[in-house]
Amino acid sequence: MNTTTTTTARHDTWERLELPGRTARTSLLDRIAMRIALALLLWSSRPRAEADRDAVRRAREREARRAELDRVRAWQRIHPHHYR
C-alpha cells in the first residue's frame, strides 16, 4: 500500500497525504540501484574496441578456412581416384 496518498470517501479522488518532517525523495538503496543500472546500460552500449573487431574477423576467417577444408575432404571421399 502506498502511504503517501490516500483516497477520500467523499470525493473519490486521490489527495496527497503530507507527512510532517519528511521530504519526498527516493531511498538510498533505490538511488544506488538506478546508478548501477545506468552504468551497466552505458557500458553495454559502448562501441567495440578495435581488438574485439580483429578477434571477430580472425574467428570468421578461421571458420571459413575450416568450412573450405571440410568441403575439400568431402569431395575427396566422394571422388578418391582423383587424388591418388
Side-chain angles (χ1 to χ4, degrees):
M1 179 174 166
N2 191 347
T3 58
T4 58
T5 57
T6 183
T7 59
T8 59
R10 295 176 298 189
H11 301 291
D12 218 14
T13 61
W14 291 92
E15 292 180 3
R16 186 156 180 84
L17 176 63
E18 298 293 333
L19 300 174
R22 181 164 180 201
T23 58
R25 69 183 291 190
T26 308
S27 72
L28 177 63
L29 183 62
D30 287 340
R31 285 184 282 149
I32 291 171
M34 286 188 285
R35 183 170 288 233
I36 291 170
L38 177 61
L40 288 173
L41 178 66
L42 292 174
W43 181 78
S44 68
S45 63
R46 74 193 189 290
R48 289 186 126 178
E50 192 65 34
D52 290 344
R53 289 187 201 128
D54 290 341
V56 169
R57 181 184 49 78
R58 285 191 304 270
R60 286 181 183 156
E61 289 172 354
R62 276 193 308 272
E63 183 59 35
R65 284 193 301 269
R66 282 187 199 128
E68 178 64 24
L69 187 57
D70 289 344
R71 284 192 293 274
V72 168
R73 287 177 179 160
W75 178 262
Q76 288 173 350
R77 280 192 302 270
I78 294 172
H79 306 286
H81 60 279
H82 290 287
Y83 298 100
R84 288 187 186 189

